[in-house]
Amino acid sequence: MTLRLCNWHQDYTDRPTLIALIETGSGPGAILYACPDCMHIYRLRPFDPATSGGPVYQRRRT
């Protein structure tokens, strides 16, 4: 079992998902982890380097 810190609710989760965020004009961004509940609440997408071309932050828009 892998425990990682969920960067959104600041507690550990046993089901982390790697998230990549795009920071526009303020630096290169960062790689963060989110739990399934925070992914749903904040509408986050998992990091997929094959489709993004590299480490980026992305938020789902609806």
Side-chain angles (χ1 to χ4, degrees), residues 4-38:
R4 298 269 187 191
L5 180 68
C6 172
N7 293 97
W8 277 261
H9 79 269
Q10 298 298 311
D11 199 3
Y12 288 94
T13 178
D14 61 349
R15 298 179 354 197
T17 301
L18 185 63
I19 304 294
L21 302 175
I22 298 171
E23 291 289 334
T24 309
S26 63
I31 303 269
L32 305 173
Y33 289 92
C35 69
D37 291 336
C38 287

Side-chain angles (χ1 to χ4, degrees), residues 1 4 6 9 25 30 36 44 47 57:
M1 177 167 71
R4 298 269 187 191
C6 172
H9 79 269
L44 301 167
F47 175 65
Y57 267 148

